[in-house]
Amino acid sequence: MSEQRVHIRPEVAVLPAYKQGRQASDSAFKLSSNENPFPPLPGVVEAVQAQTSYNRYPDATALALRAVLANRFGLSAEQVHVAPGSVAILHELARATSGPGDEIVYAWRSFEAYPGVVTVAGATSVQVPNRADGGHDLDVMAAAVTERTRMVLVCSPNNPTGPTVTAAEFDAFMAAVPQSVLVVLDEAYAEFVTDEAAVHGHPLLAAHPNLVVLRTFSKAYGLAGLRIGYALGPDYVLDAVRACAIPLSVTAQGQAAALASLEREDELLERVTEIATLRDRIVLELRAQGWDVPDAQGNFLWLPTGERTVAAAAAFEDAGIIVRAFPPEGIRISIGEHEAVETLLQTARSLVGDLQVAD
């Protein structure tokens, strides 16, 4: 007698699990997950350690944190939603807006979680290729919106390629998209942006009732291990998101860490500036070697290694640099410790010659 198996949705059965950046040994540098190389800001560890009532549930609404964020962005607490990472909010938004027969539009390549978010919601992905410079082609994305479109995802800076969407591009895009379609501006790396032309989402919320802005404490604030992100947007949209959320999923420790981090803006900005400065230096040196590196505005950069991506990633690993490979397109390298820079550049210099010979 054959064993019967539980029915799994066919599209989910073939869906690959989210692939985390590889861990590194003690002798290597982990530049695969866009983590902040700095430890938590002063006072954050103490704030987390003070939350010892593990036998009690946290505040399910994260009201104290939402109130601080609302005050910072000139919103009401109802216009702020907190979740265990911004990727959790992506899932909640997809479930709140989309289902079978609906479409979600996004650029590709972009954040690796987007296809899975769409599939789990039961919707259909509409992927729009990036421009040659690695940035979003918002004109084509707007043209891809149909009567079946429920949500559009815009990632700025784009992960993993690096460029931002400009304010002018985004204004034109929002004018072209029907107000019945939700636009999600994913700004997970916003703090690292130095391009003055780049879009900034929160000032646009009053003008666009179909806009939600995503932010996170995982990157600039260095709280990746505590899983906490937030959304800014219309209260009725975020009410629907809260209805789709897993209750009590944001820990008291995460909330305390986020509040303590927000109180230390000066130290945060110093760290962000140091990372952005190092990023720009590395990009310039890679371009001088001959690499065609797109504009990098997050805490990472992109090497277009094409069909040799797997071999290039292995060469970096052999040198003690763990990178994130996206075959057959390229490699994303996080900006990490200063000590990793020379090895990174030496390895890249050897690889660019091999790529040019292959071409």
Side-chain angles (χ1 to χ4, degrees), residues 115-323:
V117 165
V118 178
T119 298
V120 170
T124 300
S125 284
V126 177
Q127 297 182 345
V128 175
N130 286 320
R131 300 183 310 235
D133 65 359
H136 285 11
D137 192 331
L138 289 186
D139 289 339
V140 177
M141 289 178 68
V145 173
T146 71
E147 68 277 359
R148 296 175 58 190
T149 307
R150 298 292 176 263
M151 186 164 72
V152 182
L153 305 175
V154 178
C155 189
S156 181
N158 186 45
N159 173 22
T161 57
T164 60
V165 170
T166 69
E169 289 171 338
F170 195 74
D171 283 345
F173 176 75
M174 292 302 293
V177 174
Q179 288 192 356
S180 59
V181 174
L182 179 66
V183 176
V184 179
L185 181 59
D186 188 346
E187 293 188 314
Y189 302 91
E191 291 85 356
F192 300 101
V193 173
T194 55
D195 183 357
E196 294 182 357
V199 66
H200 297 284
H202 71 271
L204 304 177
L205 290 169
H208 300 294
N210 60 326
L211 175 64
V212 166
V213 177
L214 296 188
R215 304 287 289 272
T216 183
F217 287 94
S218 295
K219 310 304 180 185
Y221 288 89
L223 300 182
L226 288 171
R227 307 304 302 130
I228 189 158
Y230 61 96
L232 311 173
D235 52 2
Y236 81 94
V237 173
L238 297 187
D239 283 344
V241 167
R242 285 184 273 268
C244 294
I246 297 174
L248 302 159
S249 57
V250 181
T251 66
Q253 291 73 26
Q255 295 179 45
L259 286 166
S261 296
L262 287 168
E263 294 173 357
R264 290 155 177 83
E265 192 82 48
D266 291 343
E267 295 99 324
L268 172 74
L269 293 177
E270 289 176 3
R271 293 177 171 192
V272 167
T273 298
E274 183 173 340
I275 291 170
T277 300
L278 183 59
R279 172 199 70 201
D280 293 346
R281 175 198 149 195
I282 295 172
V283 168
L284 285 175
E285 296 200 28
L286 289 170
R287 287 174 176 168
Q289 291 178 6
W291 287 99
D292 184 16
V293 183
D295 185 27
Q297 288 290 302
N299 65 337
F300 56 89
L301 56 88
W302 175 258
L303 294 183
T305 47
E307 296 294 336
R308 295 177 65 87
T309 292
V310 173
F316 276 106
E317 184 173 348
D318 289 343
I321 303 289
I322 308 301
V323 299

Side-chain angles (χ1 to χ4, degrees), residues 281-282 285-286 289 340-349:
R281 175 198 149 195
I282 295 172
E285 296 200 28
L286 289 170
Q289 291 178 6
V341 173
E342 191 53 40
T343 301
L344 188 164
L345 291 173
Q346 287 179 354
T347 307
R349 185 178 295 109

Side-chain angles (χ1 to χ4, degrees), residues 14-28:
V14 298
L15 180 68
Y18 176 78
K19 184 179 178 182
Q20 182 185 18
R22 286 193 58 190
Q23 301 298 312
S25 67
D26 293 339
S27 61

